[in-house]
């Protein structure tokens, strides 16, 4: 298997959320061939119309390797040089998909079984795939979730709390603004007050943060706007209740604040032989809810280039990830065997 070729093939399939059908179909076919060669099974786990997770297994999975198929916009096709592969999803997370599949092939060649691969939709906007997967577990005791952590095991990650802020106004000619009410002006005032909310701090994860991700509204520069919207996201370090309580006071009836999604901050365990880190991004792990087993979080690439125009991943990092994933599966198999012997 050509690890770099597979990475580029996946990058070159546009799968910006929620349009994962084509990449899911490709992965289902690719894994079906692998399942046929090594006596495995592969299935589509429906999430919504034309949206499905892909799950493959060989035997009864003790360990499942999992990451997401979708990407943030815009689509960027692949390219490579001697050191890096570039393009949308290179590190978040199509390179990780390729590394997990390559690790699976290497394990199967040595006769290792009782593991699975789970690739989900929708991680970038609400974790729809992981929420659906939590309702259809397949008996796995451990899940290794792949996100770009520079091949270090994340022992903690921030949560994510997303809101849509909607302001309403009254149309008027911009030459006579006193006859209307600008939704855009109201939204800007509300956002300024939201930015002033004191944010919680955690000794391990640091301070919570706020990002105003999108703003839209209005019709023309000579029209007083009757509607304006913004999407905002808090990166949380503890229970989200303090932010939920503070937001209505900041909005003060001038707009509507609608909670869109919430992913909890996490504390995770270490793994023998792997260096550790702490990350500020959210993952699918809370949405899986423990139904796919005890979670670990690790993957190749740097989050600092994910979601950027220069997203890329080092080829060396991909190769290292293949070895790490295979070794983790082997060690977790051994740990499960020891636990079973102790219980006898």
């Amino acid at each position: 298997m050509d690890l770099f070729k597979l990475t580029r093939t996946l990058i070159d399939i546009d799968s910006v959320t929620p349009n994962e059908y084509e990449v899911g179909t490709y992965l289902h076919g690719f894994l079906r061939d692998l399942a046929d060669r090594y006596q495995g099974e592969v299935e589509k786990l429906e999430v919504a119309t034309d949206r499905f997770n892909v799950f493959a297994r060989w035997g009864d999975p003790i360990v499942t390797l999992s990451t997401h198929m979708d990407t943030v916009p815009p689509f960027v096709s692949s390219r490579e040089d001697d050191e890096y592969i570039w393009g949308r999803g290179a590190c978040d997370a199509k390179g990780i998909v390729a590394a997990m599949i390559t690790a699976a092939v290497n394990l199967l060649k040595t006769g290792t079984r009782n593991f699975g691969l789970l690739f989900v939709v929708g991680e970038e906007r609400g974790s729809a795939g992981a929420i659906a997967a939590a309702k259809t577990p397949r008996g796995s005791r451990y899940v290794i979730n792949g996100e770009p952590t520079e091949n270090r095991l994340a022992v903690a990650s921030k949560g994510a709390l997303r809101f849509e802020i909607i302001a309403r106004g009254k149309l008027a000619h911009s030459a006579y603004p006193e006859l209307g009410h600008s939704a855009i002006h109201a939204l800007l005032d509300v956002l300024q007050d939201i930015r002033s909310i004191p944010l919680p701090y955690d000794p391990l994860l640091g301070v919570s943060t706020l990002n105003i991700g999108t703003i839209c509204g209005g019709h023309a520069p000579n029209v007083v706007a009757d509607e304006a919207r913004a999407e905002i996201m808090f990166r949380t370090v503890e229970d989200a209740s303090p932010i939920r309580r503070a937001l209505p006071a900041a909005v003060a009836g001038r707009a509507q604040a609608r909670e869109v999604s919430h992913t909890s901050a996490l504390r995770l365990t270490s793994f023998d032989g792997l260096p550790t880190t702490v990350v500020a991004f959210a993952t699918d792990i809370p949405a899986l809810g423990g139904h796919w087993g005890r979670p670990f979080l690790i993957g190749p690439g740097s989050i600092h280039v994910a979601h950027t125009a220069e997203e890329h991943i080092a080829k060396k990092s991909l190769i290292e990830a293949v070895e790490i994933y295979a070794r983790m599966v082997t060690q977790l198999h051994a740990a499960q065997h020891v636990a079973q012997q102790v219980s006898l």
Side-chain angles (χ1 to χ4, degrees), residues 19-48:
N19 300 312
E20 305 99 343
Y21 179 82
E22 185 177 353
V23 72
T25 300
Y26 176 84
L27 283 170
H28 182 264
F30 190 98
L31 293 174
R32 183 178 57 210
D33 291 342
L34 192 59
D36 289 344
R37 290 206 308 273
Y38 291 98
Q39 297 77 53
E41 300 176 44
V42 63
E43 57 184 318
K44 296 178 181 179
L45 306 178
E46 184 177 2
V47 177

PDB file of all heavy atoms in Angstrom, residues 19-48:
ATOM      1  N   ASN A  19     -21.027  17.198   2.802  1.00  0.00           N
ATOM      2  CA  ASN A  19     -20.980  16.481   1.522  1.00  0.00           C
ATOM      3  C   ASN A  19     -19.929  15.370   1.541  1.00  0.00           C
ATOM      4  O   ASN A  19     -18.967  15.392   0.766  1.00  0.00           O
ATOM      5  CB  ASN A  19     -20.706  17.476   0.387  1.00  0.00           C
ATOM      6  CG  ASN A  19     -21.779  18.540   0.292  1.00  0.00           C
ATOM      7  OD1 ASN A  19     -22.967  18.240   0.294  1.00  0.00           O
ATOM      8  ND2 ASN A  19     -21.359  19.801   0.237  1.00  0.00           N
ATOM      9  N   GLU A  20     -20.166  14.385   2.408  1.00  0.00           N
ATOM     10  CA  GLU A  20     -19.195  13.301   2.566  1.00  0.00           C
ATOM     11  C   GLU A  20     -19.519  12.054   1.747  1.00  0.00           C
ATOM     12  O   GLU A  20     -18.808  11.047   1.835  1.00  0.00           O
ATOM     13  CB  GLU A  20     -19.106  12.889   4.047  1.00  0.00           C
ATOM     14  CG  GLU A  20     -18.783  14.024   5.005  1.00  0.00           C
ATOM     15  CD  GLU A  20     -20.018  14.580   5.701  1.00  0.00           C
ATOM     16  OE1 GLU A  20     -21.144  14.319   5.215  1.00  0.00           O
ATOM     17  OE2 GLU A  20     -19.864  15.265   6.727  1.00  0.00           O
ATOM     18  N   TYR A  21     -20.593  12.099   0.940  1.00  0.00           N
ATOM     19  CA  TYR A  21     -21.049  10.884   0.258  1.00  0.00           C
ATOM     20  C   TYR A  21     -19.954  10.271  -0.610  1.00  0.00           C
ATOM     21  O   TYR A  21     -19.723   9.055  -0.572  1.00  0.00           O
ATOM     22  CB  TYR A  21     -22.275  11.196  -0.607  1.00  0.00           C
ATOM     23  CG  TYR A  21     -22.804  10.002  -1.367  1.00  0.00           C
ATOM     24  CD1 TYR A  21     -23.645   9.080  -0.753  1.00  0.00           C
ATOM     25  CD2 TYR A  21     -22.440   9.784  -2.701  1.00  0.00           C
ATOM     26  CE1 TYR A  21     -24.117   7.969  -1.442  1.00  0.00           C
ATOM     27  CE2 TYR A  21     -22.906   8.680  -3.389  1.00  0.00           C
ATOM     28  CZ  TYR A  21     -23.743   7.782  -2.764  1.00  0.00           C
ATOM     29  OH  TYR A  21     -24.197   6.681  -3.446  1.00  0.00           O
ATOM     30  N   GLU A  22     -19.265  11.093  -1.387  1.00  0.00           N
ATOM     31  CA  GLU A  22     -18.280  10.549  -2.330  1.00  0.00           C
ATOM     32  C   GLU A  22     -17.091   9.924  -1.604  1.00  0.00           C
ATOM     33  O   GLU A  22     -16.655   8.823  -1.956  1.00  0.00           O
ATOM     34  CB  GLU A  22     -17.792  11.640  -3.284  1.00  0.00           C
ATOM     35  CG  GLU A  22     -16.864  11.115  -4.369  1.00  0.00           C
ATOM     36  CD  GLU A  22     -16.425  12.174  -5.355  1.00  0.00           C
ATOM     37  OE1 GLU A  22     -16.947  13.314  -5.291  1.00  0.00           O
ATOM     38  OE2 GLU A  22     -15.548  11.872  -6.191  1.00  0.00           O
ATOM     39  N   VAL A  23     -16.573  10.599  -0.585  1.00  0.00           N
ATOM     40  CA  VAL A  23     -15.432  10.028   0.122  1.00  0.00           C
ATOM     41  C   VAL A  23     -15.853   8.795   0.914  1.00  0.00           C
ATOM     42  O   VAL A  23     -15.099   7.813   1.013  1.00  0.00           O
ATOM     43  CB  VAL A  23     -14.757  11.077   1.029  1.00  0.00           C
ATOM     44  CG1 VAL A  23     -15.600  11.407   2.256  1.00  0.00           C
ATOM     45  CG2 VAL A  23     -13.370  10.603   1.443  1.00  0.00           C
ATOM     46  N   GLY A  24     -17.079   8.796   1.458  1.00  0.00           N
ATOM     47  CA  GLY A  24     -17.574   7.614   2.162  1.00  0.00           C
ATOM     48  C   GLY A  24     -17.720   6.423   1.228  1.00  0.00           C
ATOM     49  O   GLY A  24     -17.379   5.290   1.585  1.00  0.00           O
ATOM     50  N   THR A  25     -18.212   6.681   0.033  1.00  0.00           N
ATOM     51  CA  THR A  25     -18.354   5.609  -0.960  1.00  0.00           C
ATOM     52  C   THR A  25     -16.994   5.057  -1.352  1.00  0.00           C
ATOM     53  O   THR A  25     -16.808   3.827  -1.484  1.00  0.00           O
ATOM     54  CB  THR A  25     -19.098   6.139  -2.197  1.00  0.00           C
ATOM     55  OG1 THR A  25     -20.401   6.589  -1.789  1.00  0.00           O
ATOM     56  CG2 THR A  25     -19.251   5.057  -3.255  1.00  0.00           C
ATOM     57  N   TYR A  26     -16.028   5.949  -1.534  1.00  0.00           N
ATOM     58  CA  TYR A  26     -14.673   5.490  -1.874  1.00  0.00           C
ATOM     59  C   TYR A  26     -14.094   4.623  -0.758  1.00  0.00           C
ATOM     60  O   TYR A  26     -13.550   3.534  -1.009  1.00  0.00           O
ATOM     61  CB  TYR A  26     -13.758   6.682  -2.134  1.00  0.00           C
ATOM     62  CG  TYR A  26     -12.334   6.266  -2.394  1.00  0.00           C
ATOM     63  CD1 TYR A  26     -11.925   5.876  -3.668  1.00  0.00           C
ATOM     64  CD2 TYR A  26     -11.398   6.225  -1.359  1.00  0.00           C
ATOM     65  CE1 TYR A  26     -10.623   5.460  -3.908  1.00  0.00           C
ATOM     66  CE2 TYR A  26     -10.093   5.804  -1.582  1.00  0.00           C
ATOM     67  CZ  TYR A  26      -9.711   5.434  -2.865  1.00  0.00           C
ATOM     68  OH  TYR A  26      -8.421   5.008  -3.099  1.00  0.00           O
ATOM     69  N   LEU A  27     -14.199   5.092   0.492  1.00  0.00           N
ATOM     70  CA  LEU A  27     -13.638   4.328   1.606  1.00  0.00           C
ATOM     71  C   LEU A  27     -14.354   2.999   1.793  1.00  0.00           C
ATOM     72  O   LEU A  27     -13.710   1.982   2.099  1.00  0.00           O
ATOM     73  CB  LEU A  27     -13.714   5.159   2.889  1.00  0.00           C
ATOM     74  CG  LEU A  27     -12.669   6.263   3.017  1.00  0.00           C
ATOM     75  CD1 LEU A  27     -12.994   7.176   4.194  1.00  0.00           C
ATOM     76  CD2 LEU A  27     -11.277   5.665   3.183  1.00  0.00           C
ATOM     77  N   HIS A  28     -15.661   2.992   1.607  1.00  0.00           N
ATOM     78  CA  HIS A  28     -16.400   1.738   1.728  1.00  0.00           C
ATOM     79  C   HIS A  28     -15.896   0.725   0.704  1.00  0.00           C
ATOM     80  O   HIS A  28     -15.661  -0.456   1.029  1.00  0.00           O
ATOM     81  CB  HIS A  28     -17.898   1.985   1.539  1.00  0.00           C
ATOM     82  CG  HIS A  28     -18.727   0.755   1.684  1.00  0.00           C
ATOM     83  ND1 HIS A  28     -19.143   0.000   0.601  1.00  0.00           N
ATOM     84  CD2 HIS A  28     -19.216   0.121   2.788  1.00  0.00           C
ATOM     85  CE1 HIS A  28     -19.851  -1.023   1.024  1.00  0.00           C
ATOM     86  NE2 HIS A  28     -19.916  -0.971   2.338  1.00  0.00           N
ATOM     87  N   GLY A  29     -15.700   1.156  -0.544  1.00  0.00           N
ATOM     88  CA  GLY A  29     -15.191   0.245  -1.563  1.00  0.00           C
ATOM     89  C   GLY A  29     -13.765  -0.201  -1.279  1.00  0.00           C
ATOM     90  O   GLY A  29     -13.422  -1.384  -1.452  1.00  0.00           O
ATOM     91  N   PHE A  30     -12.922   0.725  -0.848  1.00  0.00           N
ATOM     92  CA  PHE A  30     -11.533   0.402  -0.545  1.00  0.00           C
ATOM     93  C   PHE A  30     -11.451  -0.618   0.590  1.00  0.00           C
ATOM     94  O   PHE A  30     -10.722  -1.625   0.505  1.00  0.00           O
ATOM     95  CB  PHE A  30     -10.788   1.678  -0.159  1.00  0.00           C
ATOM     96  CG  PHE A  30      -9.299   1.534  -0.058  1.00  0.00           C
ATOM     97  CD1 PHE A  30      -8.486   1.914  -1.107  1.00  0.00           C
ATOM     98  CD2 PHE A  30      -8.708   1.032   1.094  1.00  0.00           C
ATOM     99  CE1 PHE A  30      -7.104   1.783  -1.023  1.00  0.00           C
ATOM    100  CE2 PHE A  30      -7.334   0.896   1.192  1.00  0.00           C
ATOM    101  CZ  PHE A  30      -6.530   1.271   0.124  1.00  0.00           C
ATOM    102  N   LEU A  31     -12.220  -0.393   1.646  1.00  0.00           N
ATOM    103  CA  LEU A  31     -12.186  -1.300   2.796  1.00  0.00           C
ATOM    104  C   LEU A  31     -12.898  -2.611   2.510  1.00  0.00           C
ATOM    105  O   LEU A  31     -12.555  -3.653   3.088  1.00  0.00           O
ATOM    106  CB  LEU A  31     -12.799  -0.607   4.017  1.00  0.00           C
ATOM    107  CG  LEU A  31     -12.000   0.587   4.550  1.00  0.00           C
ATOM    108  CD1 LEU A  31     -12.768   1.291   5.661  1.00  0.00           C
ATOM    109  CD2 LEU A  31     -10.624   0.152   5.038  1.00  0.00           C
ATOM    110  N   ARG A  32     -13.868  -2.606   1.602  1.00  0.00           N
ATOM    111  CA  ARG A  32     -14.509  -3.861   1.209  1.00  0.00           C
ATOM    112  C   ARG A  32     -13.499  -4.792   0.567  1.00  0.00           C
ATOM    113  O   ARG A  32     -13.484  -6.002   0.852  1.00  0.00           O
ATOM    114  CB  ARG A  32     -15.663  -3.581   0.265  1.00  0.00           C
ATOM    115  CG  ARG A  32     -16.452  -4.839  -0.164  1.00  0.00           C
ATOM    116  CD  ARG A  32     -17.598  -4.449  -1.067  1.00  0.00           C
ATOM    117  NE  ARG A  32     -17.097  -3.719  -2.229  1.00  0.00           N
ATOM    118  CZ  ARG A  32     -17.790  -2.790  -2.885  1.00  0.00           C
ATOM    119  NH1 ARG A  32     -19.010  -2.454  -2.486  1.00  0.00           N
ATOM    120  NH2 ARG A  32     -17.268  -2.175  -3.925  1.00  0.00           N
ATOM    121  N   ASP A  33     -12.636  -4.255  -0.290  1.00  0.00           N
ATOM    122  CA  ASP A  33     -11.593  -5.077  -0.906  1.00  0.00           C
ATOM    123  C   ASP A  33     -10.636  -5.608   0.151  1.00  0.00           C
ATOM    124  O   ASP A  33     -10.226  -6.776   0.106  1.00  0.00           O
ATOM    125  CB  ASP A  33     -10.820  -4.253  -1.938  1.00  0.00           C
ATOM    126  CG  ASP A  33     -11.654  -3.903  -3.152  1.00  0.00           C
ATOM    127  OD1 ASP A  33     -12.696  -4.559  -3.366  1.00  0.00           O
ATOM    128  OD2 ASP A  33     -11.269  -2.959  -3.880  1.00  0.00           O
ATOM    129  N   LEU A  34     -10.294  -4.770   1.133  1.00  0.00           N
ATOM    130  CA  LEU A  34      -9.404  -5.210   2.206  1.00  0.00           C
ATOM    131  C   LEU A  34     -10.078  -6.261   3.081  1.00  0.00           C
ATOM    132  O   LEU A  34      -9.441  -7.236   3.508  1.00  0.00           O
ATOM    133  CB  LEU A  34      -9.003  -3.998   3.044  1.00  0.00           C
ATOM    134  CG  LEU A  34      -7.860  -4.171   4.045  1.00  0.00           C
ATOM    135  CD1 LEU A  34      -6.588  -4.596   3.362  1.00  0.00           C
ATOM    136  CD2 LEU A  34      -7.651  -2.874   4.826  1.00  0.00           C
ATOM    137  N   ALA A  35     -11.357  -6.086   3.329  1.00  0.00           N
ATOM    138  CA  ALA A  35     -12.106  -7.072   4.108  1.00  0.00           C
ATOM    139  C   ALA A  35     -12.187  -8.400   3.371  1.00  0.00           C
ATOM    140  O   ALA A  35     -12.063  -9.480   3.982  1.00  0.00           O
ATOM    141  CB  ALA A  35     -13.507  -6.545   4.405  1.00  0.00           C
ATOM    142  N   ASP A  36     -12.372  -8.362   2.063  1.00  0.00           N
ATOM    143  CA  ASP A  36     -12.435  -9.605   1.284  1.00  0.00           C
ATOM    144  C   ASP A  36     -11.112 -10.356   1.335  1.00  0.00           C
ATOM    145  O   ASP A  36     -11.101 -11.592   1.401  1.00  0.00           O
ATOM    146  CB  ASP A  36     -12.794  -9.291  -0.170  1.00  0.00           C
ATOM    147  CG  ASP A  36     -14.236  -8.838  -0.343  1.00  0.00           C
ATOM    148  OD1 ASP A  36     -15.034  -9.048   0.589  1.00  0.00           O
ATOM    149  OD2 ASP A  36     -14.556  -8.267  -1.401  1.00  0.00           O
ATOM    150  N   ARG A  37     -10.002  -9.634   1.324  1.00  0.00           N
ATOM    151  CA  ARG A  37      -8.692 -10.287   1.314  1.00  0.00           C
ATOM    152  C   ARG A  37      -8.353 -10.902   2.665  1.00  0.00           C
ATOM    153  O   ARG A  37      -7.636 -11.902   2.738  1.00  0.00           O
ATOM    154  CB  ARG A  37      -7.595  -9.278   0.939  1.00  0.00           C
ATOM    155  CG  ARG A  37      -7.646  -8.833  -0.505  1.00  0.00           C
ATOM    156  CD  ARG A  37      -6.273  -8.378  -1.003  1.00  0.00           C
ATOM    157  NE  ARG A  37      -5.630  -7.400  -0.158  1.00  0.00           N
ATOM    158  CZ  ARG A  37      -5.810  -6.081  -0.263  1.00  0.00           C
ATOM    159  NH1 ARG A  37      -6.651  -5.596  -1.174  1.00  0.00           N
ATOM    160  NH2 ARG A  37      -5.158  -5.255   0.534  1.00  0.00           N
ATOM    161  N   TYR A  38      -8.872 -10.310   3.752  1.00  0.00           N
ATOM    162  CA  TYR A  38      -8.474 -10.764   5.094  1.00  0.00           C
ATOM    163  C   TYR A  38      -9.670 -11.190   5.942  1.00  0.00           C
ATOM    164  O   TYR A  38      -9.633 -11.095   7.165  1.00  0.00           O
ATOM    165  CB  TYR A  38      -7.703  -9.653   5.800  1.00  0.00           C
ATOM    166  CG  TYR A  38      -6.343  -9.378   5.189  1.00  0.00           C
ATOM    167  CD1 TYR A  38      -6.171  -8.325   4.285  1.00  0.00           C
ATOM    168  CD2 TYR A  38      -5.242 -10.169   5.503  1.00  0.00           C
ATOM    169  CE1 TYR A  38      -4.929  -8.062   3.730  1.00  0.00           C
ATOM    170  CE2 TYR A  38      -3.992  -9.911   4.954  1.00  0.00           C
ATOM    171  CZ  TYR A  38      -3.847  -8.853   4.059  1.00  0.00           C
ATOM    172  OH  TYR A  38      -2.610  -8.604   3.506  1.00  0.00           O
ATOM    173  N   GLN A  39     -10.719 -11.680   5.306  1.00  0.00           N
ATOM    174  CA  GLN A  39     -11.880 -12.247   6.000  1.00  0.00           C
ATOM    175  C   GLN A  39     -12.460 -11.279   7.036  1.00  0.00           C
ATOM    176  O   GLN A  39     -12.646 -11.624   8.214  1.00  0.00           O
ATOM    177  CB  GLN A  39     -11.529 -13.582   6.687  1.00  0.00           C
ATOM    178  CG  GLN A  39     -11.121 -14.697   5.738  1.00  0.00           C
ATOM    179  CD  GLN A  39      -9.692 -14.533   5.219  1.00  0.00           C
ATOM    180  OE1 GLN A  39      -8.771 -14.383   6.009  1.00  0.00           O
ATOM    181  NE2 GLN A  39      -9.531 -14.570   3.900  1.00  0.00           N
ATOM    182  N   GLY A  40     -12.745 -10.091   6.580  1.00  0.00           N
ATOM    183  CA  GLY A  40     -13.345  -9.100   7.454  1.00  0.00           C
ATOM    184  C   GLY A  40     -14.739  -8.723   7.001  1.00  0.00           C
ATOM    185  O   GLY A  40     -15.318  -9.362   6.110  1.00  0.00           O
ATOM    186  N   GLU A  41     -15.289  -7.704   7.611  1.00  0.00           N
ATOM    187  CA  GLU A  41     -16.608  -7.196   7.248  1.00  0.00           C
ATOM    188  C   GLU A  41     -16.548  -5.676   7.167  1.00  0.00           C
ATOM    189  O   GLU A  41     -15.789  -5.042   7.911  1.00  0.00           O
ATOM    190  CB  GLU A  41     -17.653  -7.575   8.298  1.00  0.00           C
ATOM    191  CG  GLU A  41     -17.834  -9.064   8.515  1.00  0.00           C
ATOM    192  CD  GLU A  41     -18.806  -9.353   9.642  1.00  0.00           C
ATOM    193  OE1 GLU A  41     -19.866  -8.685   9.686  1.00  0.00           O
ATOM    194  OE2 GLU A  41     -18.496 -10.199  10.488  1.00  0.00           O
ATOM    195  N   VAL A  42     -17.333  -5.086   6.284  1.00  0.00           N
ATOM    196  CA  VAL A  42     -17.418  -3.639   6.188  1.00  0.00           C
ATOM    197  C   VAL A  42     -18.877  -3.248   6.013  1.00  0.00           C
ATOM    198  O   VAL A  42     -19.639  -3.970   5.350  1.00  0.00           O
ATOM    199  CB  VAL A  42     -16.544  -3.093   5.033  1.00  0.00           C
ATOM    200  CG1 VAL A  42     -17.017  -3.604   3.688  1.00  0.00           C
ATOM    201  CG2 VAL A  42     -16.522  -1.569   5.042  1.00  0.00           C
ATOM    202  N   GLU A  43     -19.276  -2.161   6.615  1.00  0.00           N
ATOM    203  CA  GLU A  43     -20.677  -1.738   6.526  1.00  0.00           C
ATOM    204  C   GLU A  43     -20.784  -0.218   6.548  1.00  0.00           C
ATOM    205  O   GLU A  43     -19.897   0.493   7.031  1.00  0.00           O
ATOM    206  CB  GLU A  43     -21.498  -2.330   7.674  1.00  0.00           C
ATOM    207  CG  GLU A  43     -20.981  -2.002   9.057  1.00  0.00           C
ATOM    208  CD  GLU A  43     -21.766  -2.696  10.160  1.00  0.00           C
ATOM    209  OE1 GLU A  43     -23.008  -2.751  10.075  1.00  0.00           O
ATOM    210  OE2 GLU A  43     -21.124  -3.169  11.131  1.00  0.00           O
ATOM    211  N   LYS A  44     -21.892   0.261   5.990  1.00  0.00           N
ATOM    212  CA  LYS A  44     -22.247   1.661   6.074  1.00  0.00           C
ATOM    213  C   LYS A  44     -23.222   1.830   7.233  1.00  0.00           C
ATOM    214  O   LYS A  44     -24.225   1.109   7.310  1.00  0.00           O
ATOM    215  CB  LYS A  44     -22.910   2.137   4.779  1.00  0.00           C
ATOM    216  CG  LYS A  44     -22.019   2.084   3.548  1.00  0.00           C
ATOM    217  CD  LYS A  44     -22.791   2.534   2.303  1.00  0.00           C
ATOM    218  CE  LYS A  44     -21.935   2.478   1.060  1.00  0.00           C
ATOM    219  NZ  LYS A  44     -22.696   2.893  -0.162  1.00  0.00           N
ATOM    220  N   LEU A  45     -22.931   2.760   8.109  1.00  0.00           N
ATOM    221  CA  LEU A  45     -23.805   3.052   9.240  1.00  0.00           C
ATOM    222  C   LEU A  45     -24.493   4.384   8.952  1.00  0.00           C
ATOM    223  O   LEU A  45     -23.876   5.447   8.998  1.00  0.00           O
ATOM    224  CB  LEU A  45     -23.006   3.131  10.543  1.00  0.00           C
ATOM    225  CG  LEU A  45     -22.134   1.906  10.877  1.00  0.00           C
ATOM    226  CD1 LEU A  45     -21.362   2.139  12.165  1.00  0.00           C
ATOM    227  CD2 LEU A  45     -22.980   0.653  10.984  1.00  0.00           C
ATOM    228  N   GLU A  46     -25.777   4.330   8.654  1.00  0.00           N
ATOM    229  CA  GLU A  46     -26.501   5.508   8.193  1.00  0.00           C
ATOM    230  C   GLU A  46     -26.550   6.601   9.259  1.00  0.00           C
ATOM    231  O   GLU A  46     -26.801   6.347  10.436  1.00  0.00           O
ATOM    232  CB  GLU A  46     -27.918   5.138   7.770  1.00  0.00           C
ATOM    233  CG  GLU A  46     -28.700   6.303   7.175  1.00  0.00           C
ATOM    234  CD  GLU A  46     -30.082   5.915   6.683  1.00  0.00           C
ATOM    235  OE1 GLU A  46     -30.457   4.734   6.845  1.00  0.00           O
ATOM    236  OE2 GLU A  46     -30.790   6.786   6.159  1.00  0.00           O
ATOM    237  N   VAL A  47     -26.330   7.836   8.820  1.00  0.00           N
ATOM    238  CA  VAL A  47     -26.432   9.010   9.679  1.00  0.00           C
ATOM    239  C   VAL A  47     -27.597   9.888   9.238  1.00  0.00           C
ATOM    240  O   VAL A  47     -28.400  10.338  10.050  1.00  0.00           O
ATOM    241  CB  VAL A  47     -25.114   9.812   9.660  1.00  0.00           C
ATOM    242  CG1 VAL A  47     -25.239  11.084  10.489  1.00  0.00           C
ATOM    243  CG2 VAL A  47     -23.965   8.947  10.176  1.00  0.00           C
ATOM    244  N   ALA A  48     -27.702  10.141   7.937  1.00  0.00           N
ATOM    245  CA  ALA A  48     -28.781  10.925   7.340  1.00  0.00           C
ATOM    246  C   ALA A  48     -28.790  10.610   5.852  1.00  0.00           C
ATOM    247  O   ALA A  48     -27.980   9.803   5.368  1.00  0.00           O
ATOM    248  CB  ALA A  48     -28.576  12.414   7.583  1.00  0.00           C
TER     249      ALA A  48
END
